[in-house]
Amino acid sequence: MRIVVARRVSQGFFLLLFVWFCLVATVGGGFLQLRGWPINWLLSLDPLTALGTMLATHTLYAPLLWGLGVLALTFFIGRFFCGFACPLGTLNQMTGWLARLGRAAKDRAEDNHPGRAQAVKYALLAFFLGCAALGGLQTGLLDPLPLVFRSVNLALLPLADPGVGVVHDAPRHYEGVWWIGLMFLAILALNAVRPRFFCRFICPLGALFGLAARVAPWRIGKATDKTCGDCRLCESHCEGGCRPSGTLVVSECLLCCNCLDRCPSGRIGFAGRASAAGETALPDFSRRGAVTLLAAGAAGAMSAPLWRVEDAAGLGRSPSLIRPPGSLDEERFLARCIRCGQCLRVCPSNIIQPSVTTAGLIGLWTPILNYRLGRSGCQPNCIACGQVCPTAAIRPLTLQEKLGQGDHAAAGPLRLGTAFVDRTRCLPWAMGRPCIVCQEVCPVSPKAIFVREVFEPVRGGRLPLAGVRGSTLALARPLAVSGNAASGDYYVRLLGAPEANPVRLVGGGGAELALAAALPGAASGREVEVLIHLMQPHVDPARCVGCGMCEHECPVSGLRAIRVTSENESRSGPGRMLA
Amino acid sequence: MTLSQKPGVPGDGSSPDSSGRPADLDRRQFLRRLAGASILAVAAGGLGAALYDPKGPAGVAGGKVLAGLGDFRAAPPPAGQPRLATVHGADRRAMFALGVKALGGMEAFVSRGDVVLLKVNAAFASPAILGATTHPDLLAAAVEACRAAGAARVVVTDNPINSPESCFEVSGLAGAARSCGATILLPRPALFSPLTLPGGRLLTDWPVLAGAFAGVTKVIALSPVKDHQRAGASMSLKNFYGLLGGRRNIFHQDINGVIAELGQLLRPTLVVLDGVSAMMANGPTGGSLADLKATNTMIFSADPVAADTLGVALLGRTPVDLPYLALAQAAGVGTMDVASLAPVTLSLDKAAG
């Protein structure tokens, strides 16, 4: 088998695997659902994630050991991951190939001439590693694996849901996903400018592989320098822009093996020696380039303290910054989250959302909870997000730990925040209308939301009696209430008898009121007042876990009348609200 | 085909002829262009006429399509036959068999070839043991009985509060349906249609899960007995809340009114009220075994008002505590006069012994 065929088979395999992992990242036991598929395996293969979290946390989380394996193999044979495995690389290669169908070999060769801009990705790598070293892991913004998972899962798959229901029956929504989708489209479109534009100029993971590849003992190169006809056919299909016809730029070779396949005289091969036509380890750095590289690293290292000055993660942070259950405290969370979007994708409620501004610039696209969106709040019996987080920024909780049962009974349930009733918007508090949907849906037992019952006079509800027959009152003027008088929520009491028990209205309206029982003391000429029976919700902050069911179900749309903010969240530890 | 693609042809408009002025189109090309232009002009005019809207949009979108979800009641039994059965016991499958038998057997409700819709309560993604959802054993018993009576197809549905997939999986209802050969129908936007109940005050132009009723000939509601702060109790009639879509929570401002209207929305073939264990507090979500009490009762009737009138006693409350019962009775949904249905009470232990 020709090596490019082997490469295409491998790329196809990894691309299909990627699509499969995206499709099945839905909670459930069906074949097309999560069941036990290792949906994070491709993300685990990423040594930049491993290196970034290592710099930020000084530990290597178990699944990321795979990344070291990939790095180790790169030390021996170069950037095989870019050429054979990376799903974004495959998509880039496919779009670049499509954009160049029918282009002359000479033009193609011009496209693939190595340029100084290929050094940009090293500056980006330096920037991201500088960030990570001081605790602000940002690699996920441009690291191709988190990027491609985030883009496809959040921007592409939901397009196929409404009406069609490819993955979900109900449409999925992600805040600000427009930017994520646009960035993905832009990355693909840039392949029309240069083949594998992202891989050559931007990809920080590629830069890391490029640095690792310079020591590779087995590498692509020319067998002899002298006998080559300089037809540049090798360069016309070179994906990396590494100049296989001349002085090879080792770090840029993606191992696409097109040069090897195209060479009419078989002078290019994969061998345990350097290219006979000469090699250079890295793209051409001018002195200015080297300074830029240093400056980028320094800027990255400075940005983390700057974010700390901004205090988007500390006392100054937004009260609506609520992280998924099991999230580490904000500082440690930001040292691990790679914004891959796996937790957003898997959440059955669709309430985990990419932060656009809530978590500050440092937390762009990190997961936050938005209880206004989705199907319901955070389901008590669900721990899916922590199970799929590839870096344990969201810890893999057990159900017992989330609910505070068994061994975790002493610690109590995990709290995401606390619900607050907005008495200026709540129907029973502000409008004199019965409601308490929040109390009903509160999943805590005993409920964190409880009610106090009150009887409040309704507007225009003071009515003179014209006569009394048993439990039926004849009115001197008709009753006008805005609701259903017989709904069981309306009561009648003799005016001036505040201690008397109100009697329930069971029918009427108009000039007659039917009561559930006779009203003691009622007589023609006296006045009655119509009351509405209200149950006003209260939150017990010691019980509230901040799941947001109440906020989601509150019938006051727009700004809800009960809202969860991050107060009292478990992950903040010393930031708790209650003494 | 453009003219410039035929260089050198006489009359080619792109090249001047010997006289120095552009040549005329030849007749065939002129006719061809004329025909093309006419076709496009007629097509544009036709499209405009077809989509012509002389009035502009109405203030509110959405047509008023449905007046109810249907009357699925079976023929009433001969006079004197029981129309309400209460079974005491703890084994839901055996209780179901006994209760249905007392009302004349499943054949009295489901005939050969029927498509049966089972409306369960799957509101929360909560395990069956917590009693917040219809018990999978009851579902399995109902599905098997329907199939034994010759049902062609059995569909199970609900529009729950938590995400539907989770609700059906976690509650065990999906597993029970799969193992008995019933289909779970998850709510999706396309299944909802607007409905206006004739004489309804609350259910006007409101989205309901009408798509689930396509081809359905019988409807059986399987509901647990649960505490409910606002409605007093959540039983058969409150279970129909799961047929509503939209931001249905606004109806809690008049919960008794809406429950009475829910009874008019749909006339079920049979309702089964599962009080083997009743959720005495913290309803309707529950969340703790401490909220449950073994009340060992299951109630069967075609009349949801009668079933709920009896069932509320399991919660230690009286029918007077549920104003919706009187409202539903007044609306003709059913009767609170349980005695008029010739009720029977059976005990599983005695029947077995």
Side-chain angles (χ1 to χ4, degrees):
Chain A
M1 184 160 60
R2 284 156 61 208
I3 186 140
V4 287
V5 176
R7 189 204 73 217
R8 284 178 199 139
V9 169
S10 169
Q11 283 179 304
F13 168 77
F14 279 95
L15 190 65
L16 284 177
L17 199 65
F18 164 72
V19 171
W20 179 253
F21 286 160
C22 287
L23 281 178
V24 299
T26 308
V27 177
F31 189 71
L32 266 170
Q33 290 172 322
L34 195 53
R35 27 167 70 197
W37 301 112
I39 60 162
N40 279 333
W41 185 63
L42 284 173
L43 283 163
S44 299
L45 292 180
D46 184 341
L48 183 57
T49 301
L51 183 62
T53 53
M54 260 164 77
L55 282 172
T57 67
H58 313 297
T59 57
L60 181 66
Y61 183 52
L64 302 179
L65 204 60
W66 282 101
L68 284 198
V70 171
L71 193 63
L73 200 50
T74 307
F75 286 136
F76 289 95
I77 58 172
R79 293 172 67 173
F80 75 99
F81 189 83
C82 308
F84 281 71
C86 179
L88 186 59
T90 304
L91 292 174
N92 281 332
Q93 188 162 346
M94 281 163 61
T95 40
W97 174 76
L98 279 174
R100 279 175 186 73
L101 280 179
R103 193 87 66 87
K106 188 166 148 281
D107 296 344
R108 287 166 172 269
E110 261 337 286
D111 263 358
N112 294 333
H113 194 74
R116 282 202 176 151
Q118 282 171 247
V120 169
K121 60 179 176 288
Y122 295 92
L124 285 170
L125 177 68
F127 175 82
F128 286 133
L129 293 183
C131 283
L134 286 173
L137 186 68
Q138 301 289 335
T139 53
L141 293 177
L142 289 177
D143 189 343
L145 290 165
L147 188 151
V148 73
F149 269 95
R150 179 175 68 225
S151 307
V152 171
N153 273 331
L154 307 190
L156 278 195
L157 279 188
L159 294 179
D161 281 339
V164 193
V166 169
V167 182
H168 295 98
D169 286 321
R172 300 281 279 192
H173 301 285
Y174 295 105
E175 197 186 346
V177 75
W178 198 88
W179 293 106
I180 294 172
L182 189 77
M183 182 168 154
F184 185 59
L185 288 183
I187 286 171
L188 294 185
L190 282 171
N191 293 309
V193 179
R194 285 279 186 281
R196 284 215 184 208
F197 187 99
F198 178 85
C199 312
R200 275 189 207 176
F201 303 111
I202 300 172
C203 183
L205 176 62
L208 182 65
F209 282 136
L211 293 175
R214 57 185 301 179
V215 301
W218 287 280
R219 51 180 70 176
I220 278 181
K222 278 173 142 178
T224 61
D225 185 25
K226 294 180 182 132
T227 49
C228 176
D230 250 0
C231 65
R232 292 184 76 197
L233 272 178
C234 51
E235 235 155 274
S236 69
H237 287 86
C238 172
E239 291 290 330
C242 59
R243 203 192 293 118
S245 68
T247 311
L248 185 76
V249 193
V250 174
S251 66
E252 303 305 291
C253 173
L254 299 176
L255 231 65
C256 69
C257 301
N258 280 342
C259 53
L260 201 145
D261 188 58
R262 295 271 164 180
C263 182
S265 52
R267 286 193 182 85
I268 298 186
F270 199 70
R273 56 178 145 71
S275 177
E279 282 185 355
T280 163
L282 286 169
D284 188 15
F285 281 99
S286 60
R287 185 173 299 174
R288 188 187 292 170
V291 170
T292 310
L293 199 67
L294 279 175
M302 241 185 85
S303 64
L306 274 177
W307 280 315
R308 210 155 289 141
V309 173
E310 186 194 38
D311 208 20
L315 282 175
R317 79 182 213 213
S318 164
S320 46
L321 174 54
I322 303 171
R323 298 282 189 197
S327 295
L328 301 175
D329 60 88
E330 190 63 11
E331 192 163 330
R332 290 196 298 150
F333 181 87
L334 290 172
R336 283 176 180 267
C337 177
I338 55 168
R339 302 120 212 253
C340 59
Q342 295 286 75
C343 53
L344 289 83
R345 170 73 177 81
V346 83
C347 175
S349 297
N350 192 201
I351 55 170
I352 310 187
Q353 296 287 323
S355 164
V356 181
T357 55
T358 309
L361 189 61
I362 190 175
L364 179 68
W365 295 339
T366 54
I368 55 169
L369 300 187
N370 182 338
Y371 294 130
R372 284 177 57 174
L373 295 176
R375 182 78 193 189
S376 62
C378 178
Q379 295 177 12
N381 294 304
C382 177
I383 46 170
C385 49
Q387 302 298 319
V388 301
C389 180
T391 60
I394 308 173
R395 282 187 300 129
L397 294 177
T398 61
L399 210 47
Q400 279 203 335
E401 186 176 359
K402 185 181 181 194
L403 299 173
Q405 296 168 344
D407 297 342
H408 302 275
L414 202 101
R415 294 182 310 272
L416 303 172
T418 306
F420 289 77
V421 178
D422 184 343
R423 294 188 182 182
T424 66
R425 293 178 71 82
C426 175
L427 296 174
W429 280 106
M431 311 280 180
R433 308 276 296 198
C435 178
I436 64 159
V437 172
C438 53
Q439 188 272 353
E440 285 163 21
V441 297
C442 176
V444 181
S445 175
K447 288 186 186 277
I449 301 178
F450 61 98
V451 298
R452 293 211 174 104
E453 302 191 38
V454 295
F455 290 91
E456 281 189 356
V458 304
R459 190 180 183 194
R462 280 171 76 154
L463 301 164
L465 291 180
V468 180
R469 276 180 289 108
S471 61
T472 306
L473 308 178
L475 304 174
R477 75 185 139 77
L479 166 71
V481 296
S482 57
N484 170 16
S487 66
D489 297 317
Y490 290 89
Y491 285 71
V492 172
R493 183 165 63 189
L494 215 53
L495 196 70
E499 301 306 314
N501 278 334
V503 180
R504 179 186 271 164
L505 255 179
V506 294
E512 239 184 28
L513 298 181
L515 305 188
L519 189 65
S524 182
R526 295 205 60 174
E527 271 190 304
V528 293
E529 62 179 342
V530 179
L531 309 167
I532 184 147
H533 173 228
L534 296 172
M535 293 182 262
Q536 294 172 325
H538 295 253
V539 176
D540 180 350
R543 292 206 167 277
C544 181
V545 295
C547 69
M549 295 284 178
C550 50
E551 181 174 342
H552 184 270
E553 296 292 322
C554 177
V556 180
S557 54
L559 183 64
R560 304 282 199 266
I562 186 165
R563 300 186 293 277
V564 176
T565 48
S566 60
E567 274 81 9
N568 215 24
E569 60 176 4
S570 299
R571 70 191 188 106
S572 285
R576 68 178 193 261
M577 176 176 72
L578 296 183
Chain B
M1 184 183 295
T2 61
L3 295 173
S4 58
Q5 281 175 321
K6 297 164 87 182
V9 174
D12 182 347
S14 65
S15 59
D17 64 10
S18 52
S19 67
R21 64 174 176 83
D24 292 331
L25 297 170
D26 72 25
R27 182 172 316 184
R28 182 173 300 169
Q29 279 170 336
F30 175 75
L31 288 177
R32 197 179 290 157
R33 285 189 171 195
L34 189 65
S38 306
I39 289 168
L40 286 177
V42 169
L47 191 68
L51 301 178
Y52 182 62
D53 175 8
K55 277 189 293 191
V60 181
K64 295 174 170 58
V65 180
L66 301 169
L69 288 173
D71 186 344
F72 299 95
R73 283 176 290 191
Q81 277 272 328
R83 285 189 281 159
L84 187 137
T86 306
V87 178
H88 295 296
D91 176 353
R92 288 183 175 84
R93 284 167 176 270
M95 290 164 86
F96 185 86
L98 197 57
V100 166
K101 195 173 150 209
L103 296 184
M106 204 61 183
E107 290 72 20
F109 300 100
V110 174
S111 316
R112 188 150 298 280
D114 267 340
V115 177
V116 185
L117 182 75
L118 298 179
K119 167 66 181 76
V120 294
N121 184 334
F124 305 101
S126 157
I129 192 173
L130 292 177
T133 48
T134 298
H135 200 282
D137 284 354
L138 176 60
L139 176 66
V143 175
E144 280 164 9
C146 288
R147 298 197 77 89
R153 204 153 55 84
V154 183
V155 182
V156 183
T157 199
D158 191 17
N159 180 25
I161 291 171
N162 297 157
S163 76
E165 294 94 338
S166 317
C167 287
F168 279 98
E169 283 298 333
V170 176
S171 63
L173 290 168
R178 271 195 296 268
S179 62
C180 302
T183 333
I184 296 273
L185 187 68
L186 297 177
R188 56 175 192 272
L191 294 179
F192 289 87
S193 312
L195 175 141
T196 296
L197 196 65
R201 222 169 27 80
L202 301 167
L203 299 181
T204 52
D205 196 19
W206 196 265
V208 295
L209 189 58
F213 289 80
V216 166
T217 52
K218 296 288 160 59
V219 174
I220 299 176
L222 308 170
S223 324
V225 178
K226 302 197 285 182
D227 161 65
H228 196 277
Q229 179 85 40
R230 178 78 181 103
S234 171
M235 296 184 289
S236 309
L237 282 172
K238 175 71 177 65
N239 182 12
F240 291 157
Y241 225 99
L243 297 170
L244 302 180
R247 290 191 63 78
R248 56 190 178 185
N249 288 333
I250 67 152
F251 297 133
H252 280 228
Q253 291 164 47
D254 184 358
I255 192 118
N256 292 302
V258 83
I259 294 177
E261 291 194 7
L262 287 172
Q264 303 165 60
L265 185 71
L266 169 74
R267 310 286 175 159
T269 317
L270 175 67
V271 301
V272 181
L273 194 51
D274 178 2
V276 169
S277 85
M279 186 185 289
M280 307 300 288
N282 276 307
T285 54
S288 164
L289 290 174
D291 300 330
L292 304 179
K293 179 183 165 189
T295 43
N296 299 326
T297 305
M298 201 179 274
I299 297 166
F300 301 77
S301 181
D303 182 337
V305 179
D308 286 4
T309 304
L310 268 191
V312 71
L314 300 175
L315 296 170
R317 288 163 213 173
T318 63
V320 181
D321 296 327
L322 309 181
Y324 76 78
L325 290 173
L327 291 174
Q329 179 176 252
V333 174
T335 179
M336 292 173 71
D337 180 10
V338 175
S340 71
L341 300 180
V344 290
T345 303
L346 306 157
S347 176
L348 190 58
D349 305 331
K350 281 178 198 153

